[in-house]
Amino acid sequence: VGYMAFGGMQSATAGPALGSDVDRIQAGFSSVYLLDAGNGQYVLIDAGADTKGTAILQALQARHASPDNVIAIFITHAHPDHDAALPLFPKAAVYTMKREVPIAAGREAYGSALSKLTGSTNSYPFDVTHTLDDGEKATAGNLEVTAFAVPGHTEGSGAYLAQGILF
């Protein structure tokens, strides 16, 4: 069971430069992306595995910003390594695919084979403020983000296209 859950996991490695308006933040064993939305506003893709959000807060501080400058967070899926720091950003709108809402709230098991056996639900339940359909566009600051349904990891998993990068 341990190998099934963690056996193939590897640390993220640096990839191609994403541009001056996008930072990849190593937040625990997952990545968070910080996007500049203009006018001192920022968008996060996911919220990492660290409930204290240490690496995210450091990245914001490096840009002379605080949690209050984060206007939106797009969650790819509601696993604890992607949503642990959400409470640090109470002013941010939280986006997920519609199908992910009951999973995010902890009302429904993740849907993986392992979670079906264990009944595992989101350990950091959260409320979604904006739901998205496949192909729907959302605007946050000066960013246009297109959502894509990619069910599998969870039934409501999503990917997001912004600034020509698919997250």
Side-chain angles (χ1 to χ4, degrees):
V1 170
Y3 182 77
M4 285 176 26
F6 301 105
M9 295 182 68
Q10 299 176 12
S11 297
T13 56
L18 298 176
S20 61
D21 292 342
V22 180
D23 290 334
R24 184 181 75 75
I25 303 164
Q26 189 68 43
F29 56 85
S30 64
S31 294
V32 172
Y33 296 90
L34 176 67
L35 289 74
D36 189 330
N39 300 316
Q41 299 174 321
Y42 295 91
V43 167
L44 293 175
I45 307 291
D46 285 331
D50 176 13
T51 57
K52 295 179 184 174
T54 305
I56 301 169
L57 297 176
Q58 288 172 347
L60 284 166
Q61 187 175 38
R63 290 183 175 246
H64 308 289
S66 74
D68 288 346
N69 295 95
V70 175
I71 60 169
I73 303 173
F74 290 81
I75 298 294
T76 58
H77 62 286
H79 279 162
D81 58 327
H82 292 264
D83 61 21
L86 272 172
L88 300 176
F89 306 97
K91 293 184 176 182
V94 178
Y95 292 80
T96 66
M97 302 304 292
K98 280 183 185 171
R99 180 62 187 91
E100 195 71 0
V101 171
I103 299 166
R107 294 189 312 264
E108 184 177 306
Y110 288 123
S112 68
L114 184 58
S115 71
K116 285 179 183 174
L117 291 173
T118 64
S120 298
T121 59
N122 187 8
S123 23
Y124 302 113
F126 61 92
D127 292 324
V128 175
T129 59
H130 296 10
T131 60
L132 298 163
D133 288 313
D134 186 43
E136 187 173 350
K137 295 179 189 298
T139 302
N142 66 10
L143 289 177
E144 181 177 84
V145 179
T146 305
F148 297 96
V150 289
H153 198 54
T154 64
E155 292 182 37
S157 291
Y160 303 104
L161 179 66
Q163 295 184 341
I165 303 166
L166 184 63
F167 300 93

